[in-house]
Amino acid sequence: MPKIQASTVAEHRVQQRAALLDAARNLLSRNPTEQQPPSLAEVARLAGLARSSVYSYFRSREDLLDALIADTFPRWSAYVTEQMDRHREPGRRVLAYVDANLHLVARGDHALARALASAGRADTLATSSRLLHDELRTPLVAALRAHGAPDPVRMAEVIQSVVFALTRMIEDGTSERKARRLAHELLEPYLRLGGDRQRDA
């Protein structure tokens, strides 16, 4: 049994489970186009654990992937929300939403999501993706509404389509800096106009 590094067995199990998830995340990120997900033995080896100990946390490779999906998407949402919360002005919050998503794509998180899409179970992935979309849309719609958008829900979909287009560009080799510049070039005039509407009201 591995030496317990935490103060309690419960904390130790939390740490070991997190280490396994991080190892699986690392392996999937290295080969995002690989159709075959990493084996439990590979994950255990990278985490520095015996293969047999992995089964104390996950029944199978599919179980591990489901847990990784459930762990990864909330991290994405939390990062975007954190970046938006650094700003008070609604227009800046909208730009922070775009910038945060593009940063995660450039960092490789989207490649991990694609790897999970090809390797994970469809039902778990679909549920987590839908929850992520809803969680991300809520603060974006709120920022657009506060900024004075006449139809913030549909405008949020427009902005999301811009993020998707720039995501593909980044994956094709466009730098994060250039993608962000393109986004700002497109969105800043609209956001300035919205601010002018509010001041004139």
Side-chain angles (χ1 to χ4, degrees), residues 27-36 111-112 114-116 118-119:
L27 289 169
L28 281 166
S29 297
R30 290 179 188 176
N31 301 291
T33 59
E34 181 67 42
Q35 294 297 313
Q36 184 68 17
L112 172 60
R114 286 192 291 109
L116 287 169
S118 64

Side-chain angles (χ1 to χ4, degrees), residues 10 13 15 25 29 41 44 47 49 61-62 66 72 77 81 88 104 108-109 111 115 122 144 146 154 158-159 174:
R13 287 186 59 80
Q15 291 178 6
R25 185 179 291 110
S29 297
L49 300 173
R61 179 165 56 185
E62 289 73 21
D66 284 352
T72 297
S77 177
T81 302
R88 297 184 62 183
L104 290 172
D109 291 46
L144 287 166
R154 287 191 173 87
V158 171
I159 291 175
T174 300

Side-chain angles (χ1 to χ4, degrees), residues 52-127:
S52 58
S53 66
V54 179
Y55 291 97
S56 298
Y57 302 90
F58 306 105
R59 296 185 303 274
S60 65
R61 179 165 56 185
E62 289 73 21
D63 189 29
L64 170 62
L65 289 173
D66 284 352
L68 185 57
I69 291 170
D71 180 70
T72 297
F73 285 87
R75 288 183 180 218
W76 188 300
S77 177
Y79 177 79
V80 173
T81 302
E82 175 186 318
Q83 296 304 305
M84 293 181 71
D85 286 346
R86 296 175 65 181
H87 304 276
R88 297 184 62 183
E89 196 275 315
R92 295 304 308 172
R93 288 175 60 81
V94 172
L95 291 175
Y97 171 89
V98 174
D99 290 346
N101 277 283
L102 295 180
H103 175 68
L104 290 172
V105 171
R107 194 175 70 177
D109 291 46
H110 193 255
L112 172 60
R114 286 192 291 109
L116 287 169
S118 64
R121 291 207 287 240
D123 54 348
T124 304
L125 184 67
T127 299

